[in-house]
Amino acid sequence: MTALRLRVNVLISGGFSGAYGQLLPEFERASGIAVATGSGASQGNGPQTIGAQLARGVPADVVILSREGLAELIAANRIAAETAVDLASVPLGVAVRAGGATPDVSTVEAFRNVLLEARTIAVPGSTSGIWLRDNLFPRLGVADLVNFEMTPRGSDAATMVAAGGADLAVMPVSEILVAPGVEHAGPIPPEIQFVQVFCAAVVAGSQGFDGSRRLVAFLASPRASATIRRSGMEPLAGSR
């Protein structure tokens, strides 16, 4: 009689998806655990955020999302105690249509000018886009001068740029590098940079707790660091 294979359900946001997609086959081979993966935004409004999916009962054992999104889930008692782990950090960058001109975004003044010259700017409607809307754009004095559209996901912002619906997108570098039809023009200047941290945690009431802990430990291990770094992120193995 064949033994039942362990299964873990994951909900993941876009920032860590590139590295995750490369690491998952190795974990499944080594552990014998099958992983089913769904996606959602770390924060924001709408039915497809990770929080909204958990609230309506979408099966999930592990969540991978921004630290800010995780804090909301912890406050809502959705996360098993002491299971949260920092995986990687990533800065914000500028995505432009592949094959087009690459703007200079190396200084605050240059970046501000690029924003002002753009007909439409796409930003994710999650952690990074919320920060841009509420913090950076007002600080730069452009909040009322630029036309920006918040999309449900980072991938949607990149798709807008690739299709010509936006001149540029400001979003996590790791999402730019895996998006088709766009190129990375460069990170936004360090003086105004927002470095996001992506985390993993086990969902409260998980039916696959042991397997979930093994997956989180694998993603947070030094073994995953090289792949995470190649995806445009900085691994944080052992930092928490």
Side-chain angles (χ1 to χ4, degrees):
M1 182 175 178
T2 303
L4 290 175
R5 191 180 185 194
L6 293 175
R7 179 186 174 98
V8 170
N9 296 302
V10 175
L11 285 177
I12 184 171
S13 65
F16 195 74
S17 291
Y20 173 83
Q22 296 176 56
L23 290 166
L24 187 59
E26 180 184 349
F27 172 77
E28 290 184 308
R29 278 196 308 271
S31 67
I33 297 171
V35 179
T37 305
S39 65
S42 294
Q43 291 182 283
N45 301 313
Q48 294 307 311
T49 65
I50 290 175
Q53 291 185 62
L54 292 179
R56 67 173 183 269
V58 172
D61 300 296
V62 172
V63 290
I64 303 171
L65 71 172
S66 72
R67 182 182 279 169
E68 292 81 1
L70 178 63
E72 293 178 358
L73 297 184
I74 291 172
N77 297 316
R78 297 285 184 188
I79 300 301
E82 299 182 359
T83 62
V85 177
D86 291 341
L87 299 178
S89 63
V90 62
L92 295 181
V94 176
V96 295
R97 194 174 186 179
T102 302
D104 176 17
V105 295
S106 61
T107 67
V108 174
E109 182 180 3
F111 175 65
R112 185 177 187 274
N113 288 337
V114 167
L115 295 177
L116 291 172
E117 291 169 3
R119 291 168 299 172
T120 302
I121 302 161
V123 302
S126 188
T127 305
S128 58
I130 293 168
W131 180 82
L132 289 164
R133 180 195 65 194
D134 296 346
N135 188 308
L136 185 58
F137 289 170
R139 281 168 53 197
L140 293 177
V142 302
D144 297 324
L145 302 176
V146 297
N147 178 37
F148 67 93
E149 182 170 336
M150 298 185 78
T151 64
R153 303 289 305 279
S155 56
D156 298 318
T159 297
M160 276 189 70
V161 174
D167 292 336
L168 59 95
V170 185
M171 53 194 288
V173 169
S174 55
E175 294 194 66
I176 298 172
L177 296 182
V178 297
V182 300
E183 295 175 349
H184 182 214
I188 69 174
E191 305 97 304
I192 55 172
Q193 182 60 260
F194 175 55
V195 177
Q196 283 184 253
V197 173
F198 283 82
C199 311
V202 179
V203 176
S206 165
Q207 298 302 302
F209 191 83
D210 290 342
S212 299
R213 288 296 298 263
R214 289 173 66 183
L215 175 59
V216 171
F218 172 76
L219 295 174
S221 70
R223 187 173 175 182
S225 292
T227 299
I228 291 171
R229 192 169 283 112
R230 285 194 300 271
S231 76
M233 309 184 87
E234 185 61 29
L236 298 175
S239 66
R240 182 172 174 178

